[in-house]
Amino acid sequence: MIFGISHVELAVTDLPRARRLYEGTLGLAVKKEGDGFVDLDAGTVLVRLYETARVEQKVALRMQVGDVWEAWKRLIDGGARPLYEPMRTAQLEVMGSVSDADGHALTVWRALSEDEYGFLPDLPKAGEWRTDAEELLKSLLTGVPSLFRGLARRKVVQEAEALADDHAVGREDVIRAYIRANARITRHRVKKPLEAHGIDPARYQADFDS
């Protein structure tokens, strides 16, 4: 029945002023405009600014950005009023908030990368694991680029638990799974991380060749 949310509507008391912030500072492109309104392309939805004598309902917009501090400062320089300086949150995000001249709240945010967490995420375990095996895998995964680390974590855990079968996952299972979870053509790349952990890759040639 519903095709999707097409617009978010913001009532503004001064349309040219609002356009300077949303179109000029934020760089939202004009999709349509008419008497007393303009539709701006925010990427996933259109923001409709429409002029009115009095704003009766405030709106809160949350916008994902690459650099939260830079976006927050640009909004302040563009005439927005600071609400909250950029900060880390318990949801593993960085976010900062401002309000426009009509009181609408604008939050800029981005998710933290795993390298910024300050802790190692739990493994998505389904079976029993020895503590030393879990610690080894967490340490090995720190060498995987953060963009791919979540996928690697799931693949190695699944492989290790399949290898362990009827016993708790141990260090040997983790080492073998860490090798096998990579495509055969790229498995040579894991030799250095293994050696850095005092592990001789030559002992696991069968897993490299499997």
Side-chain angles (χ1 to χ4, degrees):
M1 185 174 67
I2 297 175
F3 295 113
I5 296 174
S6 61
H7 293 70
V8 174
E9 294 190 338
L10 276 67
V12 299
T13 55
D14 185 330
L15 185 57
R17 178 182 63 191
R19 290 186 66 162
R20 286 195 293 273
L21 180 66
Y22 290 90
E23 183 183 348
T25 300
L26 286 177
L28 304 185
V30 175
K31 293 294 288 186
K32 182 180 180 181
E33 58 184 309
D35 186 19
F37 83 94
V38 62
D39 288 343
L40 302 174
D41 188 354
T44 54
V45 70
L46 294 178
V47 175
R48 171 164 290 187
L49 305 176
Y50 67 95
E51 195 164 46
T52 183
R54 184 165 64 94
V55 176
E56 297 182 354
Q57 187 170 352
K58 306 291 176 60
V59 173
L61 297 180
R62 186 175 169 88
M63 299 169 289
Q64 190 171 5
V65 299
D67 188 325
V68 174
W69 268 105
E70 177 63 24
W72 189 83
K73 290 175 181 177
R74 284 185 62 186
L75 285 166
I76 300 300
D77 292 342
R81 180 172 62 87
L83 293 177
Y84 305 103
E85 286 192 355
M87 67 186 80
R88 289 175 58 123
T89 72
Q91 290 72 42
L92 301 177
E93 299 172 351
V94 180
M95 59 172 286
S97 297
V98 302
S99 69
D100 67 11
D102 293 294
H104 301 299
L106 308 176
T107 295
V108 288
W109 76 281
R110 71 169 176 84
L112 293 174
S113 71
E114 283 194 15
D115 291 333
E116 298 172 298
Y117 285 1
F119 64 89
L120 297 178
D122 292 333
L123 301 178
K125 301 178 297 180
E128 183 181 355
W129 283 60
R130 292 171 53 98
T131 300
D132 59 345
E134 185 171 353
E135 291 176 349
L136 173 61
L137 179 52
K138 286 183 176 180
S139 182
L140 284 168
L141 288 171
T142 60
V144 177
S146 60
L147 182 63
F148 308 107
R149 200 172 299 152
L151 175 61
R153 183 180 297 110
R154 292 191 297 273
K155 289 180 66 175
V156 178
V157 166
Q158 290 173 359
E159 183 73 27
E161 292 185 342
L163 288 169
D165 192 18
D166 59 352
H167 61 267
V169 175
R171 283 176 57 90
E172 288 294 302
D173 300 311
V174 165
I175 296 167
R176 296 182 64 202
Y178 179 69
I179 297 168
R180 288 168 169 254
N182 289 270
R184 185 173 179 180
I185 195 171
T186 61
R187 286 179 184 171
H188 64 281
R189 298 176 183 172
V190 307
K191 290 184 177 181
K192 285 187 177 180
L194 289 173
E195 290 170 345
H197 284 76
I199 299 165
D200 181 7
R203 292 184 53 214
Y204 302 92
Q205 192 60 48
D207 294 295
F208 282 99
D209 295 338
S210 65

CSV table of all heavy atoms in Angstrom, one decimal, residues 7 12 30 86 89 92-93 96-97 100 103 140 146 148 151 163 168 170 190 201 205:
chain,number,residue,atom,x,y,z
A,7,HIS,N,8.9,12.4,1.5
A,7,HIS,CA,9.3,13.8,2.0
A,7,HIS,C,9.4,13.8,3.5
A,7,HIS,O,8.6,13.1,4.2
A,7,HIS,CB,8.3,14.8,1.5
A,7,HIS,CG,8.3,15.1,0.0
A,7,HIS,ND1,7.8,14.2,-0.9
A,7,HIS,CD2,8.7,16.2,-0.7
A,7,HIS,CE1,7.9,14.7,-2.1
A,7,HIS,NE2,8.4,15.9,-2.0
A,12,VAL,N,9.2,26.6,7.9
A,12,VAL,CA,10.2,27.7,8.2
A,12,VAL,C,9.5,29.0,8.0
A,12,VAL,O,8.6,29.2,7.2
A,12,VAL,CB,11.4,27.5,7.2
A,12,VAL,CG1,12.1,26.2,7.4
A,12,VAL,CG2,11.0,27.7,5.7
A,30,VAL,N,18.4,21.1,-5.3
A,30,VAL,CA,17.0,21.4,-5.5
A,30,VAL,C,16.4,20.4,-6.5
A,30,VAL,O,16.9,20.2,-7.6
A,30,VAL,CB,16.8,22.9,-6.1
A,30,VAL,CG1,15.4,23.1,-6.4
A,30,VAL,CG2,17.4,23.9,-5.1
A,86,PRO,N,30.0,17.4,19.1
A,86,PRO,CA,30.2,16.0,18.8
A,86,PRO,C,30.8,15.2,19.9
A,86,PRO,O,31.7,15.6,20.6
A,86,PRO,CB,31.2,16.0,17.6
A,86,PRO,CG,30.8,17.3,17.0
A,86,PRO,CD,30.5,18.3,18.1
A,89,THR,N,29.0,8.0,21.7
A,89,THR,CA,27.8,7.5,22.4
A,89,THR,C,27.9,6.0,22.8
A,89,THR,O,28.8,5.3,22.3
A,89,THR,CB,26.5,7.7,21.6
A,89,THR,OG1,26.5,6.7,20.5
A,89,THR,CG2,26.4,9.1,21.0
A,92,LEU,N,28.0,3.3,20.1
A,92,LEU,CA,29.2,3.2,19.2
A,92,LEU,C,29.1,4.1,18.0
A,92,LEU,O,29.3,3.7,16.9
A,92,LEU,CB,29.5,1.8,18.8
A,92,LEU,CG,29.7,0.8,20.0
A,92,LEU,CD1,29.9,-0.6,19.5
A,92,LEU,CD2,30.9,1.2,20.8
A,93,GLU,N,28.7,5.4,18.3
A,93,GLU,CA,28.6,6.4,17.2
A,93,GLU,C,29.3,7.7,17.7
A,93,GLU,O,29.5,7.8,18.9
A,93,GLU,CB,27.1,6.7,16.9
A,93,GLU,CG,26.3,5.5,16.4
A,93,GLU,CD,24.8,5.9,16.3
A,93,GLU,OE1,24.4,6.9,16.8
A,93,GLU,OE2,24.1,5.0,15.8
A,96,GLY,N,26.8,14.9,16.8
A,96,GLY,CA,26.7,16.3,17.3
A,96,GLY,C,25.4,16.9,16.8
A,96,GLY,O,24.9,16.5,15.8
A,97,SER,N,24.8,17.8,17.5
A,97,SER,CA,23.5,18.4,17.2
A,97,SER,C,23.5,19.9,17.2
A,97,SER,O,24.2,20.5,18.0
A,97,SER,CB,22.4,17.9,18.1
A,97,SER,OG,22.3,16.5,18.1
A,100,ASP,N,18.3,24.8,13.7
A,100,ASP,CA,18.2,25.9,12.8
A,100,ASP,C,17.5,27.1,13.4
A,100,ASP,O,17.0,27.0,14.6
A,100,ASP,CB,17.6,25.5,11.4
A,100,ASP,CG,16.1,25.1,11.6
A,100,ASP,OD1,15.5,25.4,12.6
A,100,ASP,OD2,15.6,24.5,10.6
A,103,GLY,N,14.2,26.3,15.1
A,103,GLY,CA,14.1,25.3,16.1
A,103,GLY,C,14.1,23.8,15.7
A,103,GLY,O,14.0,23.0,16.6
A,140,LEU,N,44.0,-12.2,16.5
A,140,LEU,CA,44.3,-12.4,15.1
A,140,LEU,C,43.4,-11.5,14.2
A,140,LEU,O,43.9,-10.9,13.2
A,140,LEU,CB,44.0,-13.9,14.7
A,140,LEU,CG,45.1,-14.9,15.1
A,140,LEU,CD1,44.6,-16.3,14.8
A,140,LEU,CD2,46.4,-14.7,14.3
A,146,SER,N,39.2,-3.1,9.3
A,146,SER,CA,37.9,-3.0,10.1
A,146,SER,C,36.7,-3.2,9.2
A,146,SER,O,35.6,-3.7,9.7
A,146,SER,CB,37.9,-1.7,10.8
A,146,SER,OG,37.9,-0.6,9.9
A,148,PHE,N,36.1,-5.2,6.9
A,148,PHE,CA,35.9,-6.6,6.6
A,148,PHE,C,35.9,-7.5,7.9
A,148,PHE,O,35.7,-8.7,7.8
A,148,PHE,CB,36.9,-7.2,5.6
A,148,PHE,CG,37.0,-6.4,4.4
A,148,PHE,CD1,38.1,-5.6,4.1
A,148,PHE,CD2,36.0,-6.4,3.4
A,148,PHE,CE1,38.2,-4.8,3.0
A,148,PHE,CE2,36.1,-5.6,2.3
A,148,PHE,CZ,37.2,-4.8,2.1
A,151,LEU,N,32.7,-9.7,9.0
A,151,LEU,CA,32.5,-10.8,8.1
A,151,LEU,C,33.5,-11.9,8.5
A,151,LEU,O,33.1,-13.1,8.6
A,151,LEU,CB,32.5,-10.5,6.6
A,151,LEU,CG,32.5,-11.6,5.6
A,151,LEU,CD1,31.1,-12.3,5.7
A,151,LEU,CD2,32.7,-11.1,4.2
A,163,LEU,N,35.0,-27.4,12.9
A,163,LEU,CA,36.2,-28.2,13.1
A,163,LEU,C,36.2,-28.9,14.5
A,163,LEU,O,36.6,-30.0,14.6
A,163,LEU,CB,37.5,-27.4,12.9
A,163,LEU,CG,37.8,-27.0,11.5
A,163,LEU,CD1,38.9,-25.9,11.5
A,163,LEU,CD2,38.2,-28.2,10.7
A,168,ALA,N,35.1,-28.6,22.9
A,168,ALA,CA,35.2,-27.1,23.0
A,168,ALA,C,36.3,-26.6,22.0
A,168,ALA,O,37.3,-27.3,21.8
A,168,ALA,CB,35.6,-26.7,24.4
A,170,GLY,N,39.4,-25.1,20.6
A,170,GLY,CA,40.7,-24.8,21.1
A,170,GLY,C,41.5,-24.0,20.1
A,170,GLY,O,41.1,-23.6,19.0
A,190,VAL,N,47.7,-14.9,5.4
A,190,VAL,CA,47.6,-15.0,6.9
A,190,VAL,C,48.9,-15.6,7.5
A,190,VAL,O,48.9,-15.7,8.7
A,190,VAL,CB,46.4,-16.0,7.2
A,190,VAL,CG1,45.1,-15.5,6.5
A,190,VAL,CG2,46.7,-17.4,6.8
A,201,PRO,N,53.4,-21.4,10.3
A,201,PRO,CA,52.4,-21.8,9.3
A,201,PRO,C,52.7,-23.1,8.6
A,201,PRO,O,51.8,-23.8,8.1
A,201,PRO,CB,52.5,-20.6,8.3
A,201,PRO,CG,53.1,-19.5,9.1
A,201,PRO,CD,54.0,-20.1,10.1
A,205,GLN,N,50.2,-26.8,6.6
A,205,GLN,CA,50.2,-26.8,5.2
A,205,GLN,C,49.0,-27.5,4.6
A,205,GLN,O,48.5,-27.0,3.5
A,205,GLN,CB,51.5,-27.4,4.6
A,205,GLN,CG,51.8,-27.2,3.1
A,205,GLN,CD,51.8,-25.7,2.8
A,205,GLN,OE1,52.6,-24.9,3.5
A,205,GLN,NE2,51.1,-25.2,1.8
